[in-house]
Amino acid sequence: MDSEPNLPIPVSYIEGNYFIFSVDAATYLRREHNISGVLVGTLPQVPQQNVFMGLPLQLMPEEARLLVEKGVACIVDEVNFQKQGMQSLMEEDRKQYLKEIESQGIETMQLQYLRKERQREEALKKIDEKKTAKAKKMKQKEQATDAPQGDPVTSLFEDSQPSTPSRISSRRTSTLAAVDSIMGVTPAVSHPPLPEHPPTEHLLLIPEVPSSYPLFAHLHSKGYFLSPGLRFGCQYLAYPGDSLRFHSHFLVVSAEWDEEMDLMKIIAGGRLGTGVKKGFLIGGADKKAKKALDTNDNVRTFSIEWAGM
């Protein structure tokens, strides 16, 4: 079972974006609060990958706002927190931290060197095995043609190998396995040395959200998973469950309560939704609900589907 993080979960605010760097926090939010976000992390050696992304998890402003209102998360000014945190470290702590980083780098270099040596030994071993097998085959042919019968005592021990090299190889293999266990995954968080929960002076207020937030909160309260809908030309994609298990059911577009909408846009949205086997959903809240943030009782939604005679 995944370990649950301490609440409230710190959400890092960096250059207008909201990120989560803890895998436990990302798993908890997806499992307990229907917040999936978007993985935006890439590997340094594969910067253009677009299938297997990793941490950090980027949240929409609507998702961050919803979590703050529920008391599940808090927004942290990550830039100032990192700067002041590193400046406030004692000189001895800073030296110790730099020393640990240096020792980890040396240990990693040694590990890579041992891995290369192991690969080299394995390659040489394969070459020796091929040469030995070839020589043995040639010897057997010569014995079959020249000598009618070999010495049974000699044939019993002619293929025996000294035990010392194998013992050395086994010890080296066990050593490499122990070293491999030391080198783990580089953590995506800054604690230690910085504290896990930043002090209150680095906490920000409730995130600013677009006018579509009441519709977002309304659908979320109904159990839907919501993700950005840019690839389908809408604001959100609404999933009836986890997006890893279900296809989306609706293309969601927010509208003002008294907004005049072009009929052609409604027709185009309905045809697009039907073409990709989804419903086209329009919804919004009245002005009073927006001021009071009463998003559950004052939001109305309409699902449009294209049909023919």
Side-chain angles (χ1 to χ4, degrees):
M1 182 178 180
D2 298 328
S3 59
E4 295 187 1
N6 297 325
L7 301 181
I9 297 171
V11 178
S12 300
Y13 177 78
I14 305 173
E15 295 295 330
N17 299 309
Y18 302 90
F19 298 98
I20 293 212
F21 290 88
S22 171
V23 63
D24 292 334
T27 305
Y28 172 78
L29 293 178
R30 192 183 193 102
R31 183 180 67 246
E32 300 294 337
H33 298 280
N34 296 1
I35 298 295
S36 55
V38 179
L39 292 170
V40 296
T42 59
L43 295 174
Q45 296 179 349
V46 194
Q48 295 181 350
Q49 61 180 322
N50 56 4
V51 178
F52 299 104
M53 297 291 188
L55 293 175
L57 180 76
Q58 183 174 356
L59 302 180
M60 293 186 292
E62 297 91 324
E63 293 174 319
R65 172 73 168 266
L66 188 69
L67 294 174
V68 170
E69 290 182 350
K70 287 185 174 183
V72 178
C74 60
I75 308 302
V76 180
D77 187 358
E78 191 67 29
V79 176
N80 291 331
F81 171 62
Q82 294 285 339
K83 287 182 178 179
Q84 296 183 14
M86 294 303 295
Q87 291 174 359
S88 62
L89 286 176
M90 300 295 293
E91 189 65 24
E92 293 297 329
D93 295 337
R94 185 177 304 176
K95 289 181 179 179
Q96 180 66 23
Y97 178 62
L98 295 176
K99 185 177 179 181
E100 290 179 358
I101 293 178
E102 184 178 359
S103 63
Q104 290 176 3
I106 294 174
E107 187 176 4
T108 303
M109 292 177 61
Q110 293 176 350
L111 173 60
Q112 292 176 351
Y113 175 77
L114 290 174
R115 282 178 174 173
K116 289 181 180 179
E117 286 294 320
R118 179 172 58 182
Q119 294 175 355
R120 178 174 170 274
E121 289 182 358
E122 290 177 354
L124 292 175
K125 184 179 179 181
K126 289 181 180 179
I127 294 174
D128 292 339
E129 289 177 353
K130 289 181 179 179
K131 290 182 178 180
T132 304
K134 188 176 181 180
K136 184 179 179 180
K137 189 179 293 185
M138 293 295 295
K139 190 175 181 180
Q140 288 177 352
K141 288 182 179 179
E142 292 177 357
Q143 289 178 353
T145 55
D146 297 339
Q149 189 174 7
D151 189 359
V153 179
T154 305
S155 61
L156 181 63
F157 294 100
E158 64 180 0
D159 294 333
S160 61
Q161 300 292 334
S163 59
T164 305
S166 61
R167 292 179 181 177
I168 294 176
S169 177
S170 62
R171 285 200 299 268
R172 178 167 293 183
T173 303
S174 61
T175 304
L176 287 171
V179 176
D180 287 343
S181 63
I182 296 174
M183 184 179 177
V185 179
T186 302
V189 295
S190 58
H191 55 82
L194 301 182
E196 181 177 1
H197 288 279
T200 55
E201 60 265 21
H202 295 290
L203 301 182
L204 301 178
L205 300 177
I206 297 178
E208 295 183 2
V209 291
S211 59
S212 58
Y213 176 70
L215 177 60
F216 177 91
H218 172 75
L219 293 176
H220 185 273
S221 66
K222 301 299 182 182
Y224 285 97
F225 281 67
L226 293 137
S227 67
L230 179 61
R231 59 179 177 171
F232 285 101
C234 58
Q235 287 179 286
Y236 310 111
L237 290 175
Y239 297 83
D242 196 326
S243 57
L244 296 176
R245 299 176 57 196
F246 298 92
H247 289 288
S248 56
H249 279 191
F250 296 106
L251 310 177
V252 182
V253 174
S254 174
E256 299 294 333
W257 187 260
D258 53 356
E259 178 182 351
E260 293 185 2
M261 299 190 67
D262 189 354
L263 183 60
M264 294 303 296
K265 290 184 178 180
I266 298 178
I267 294 175
R271 293 189 65 180
L272 173 62
T274 304
V276 293
K277 299 181 181 180
K278 308 178 193 306
F280 181 63
L281 189 145
I282 302 175
D286 60 11
K287 297 179 181 180
K288 181 179 179 181
K290 291 178 183 177
K291 291 180 180 179
L293 292 177
D294 188 6
T295 58
N296 292 331
D297 299 330
N298 296 277
V299 175
R300 296 191 65 186
T301 58
F302 300 90
S303 177
I304 300 171
E305 296 182 5
W306 187 262
M309 297 295 294

